[in-house]
Amino acid sequence: MIQVSETAKQKVIALMTEDGYDATTDYVRVGVKSGGCSGLSYELDFDNKMGETDKVFEDNDVRIIVDKKSFLYLVGTVLEYSGGLNGKGFVFNNPNAQRTCGCGESFSL
């Protein structure tokens, strides 16, 4: 469902640890909400609780939860991390997006 690149995995685990989460038991919550310059924007957060309608995935030792509504928009997405001087941070490579904004934080279908 959602894949996690090696660089994203390393950054996620480091940030989770820094924020007091345990990457082996807690989750990265990925979602979609209305907004952004292209109509829909990505949400990324840490969570230690799973909702009734959440779907759970694990890729590259990262546990991911996605709410039922967001799941439809995110199928096949790869979460990557781009660091360095010109890095953008976390990047969503979403095959469902027909148009994305320049910052890569929002998209439309």
Side-chain angles (χ1 to χ4, degrees), residues 12-73:
V12 162
I13 291 172
L15 290 172
M16 287 182 91
T17 302
E18 188 177 299
D19 285 357
Y21 289 90
D22 181 348
T24 62
T25 58
D26 296 325
Y27 307 95
V28 174
R29 179 173 288 283
V30 181
V32 173
K33 67 177 182 177
S34 294
C37 46
S38 292
L40 297 169
S41 62
Y42 297 105
E43 292 184 304
L44 193 61
D45 205 357
F46 302 129
D47 205 335
N48 56 13
K49 294 184 178 90
M50 195 173 80
E52 278 183 27
T53 61
D54 286 340
K55 297 192 177 288
V56 180
F57 304 93
E58 186 168 336
D59 186 64
N60 207 3
D61 297 326
V62 175
R63 295 163 38 110
I64 301 166
I65 51 176
V66 180
D67 65 85
K68 187 176 181 178
K69 177 187 159 203
S70 297
F71 172 76
L72 300 172
Y73 297 109

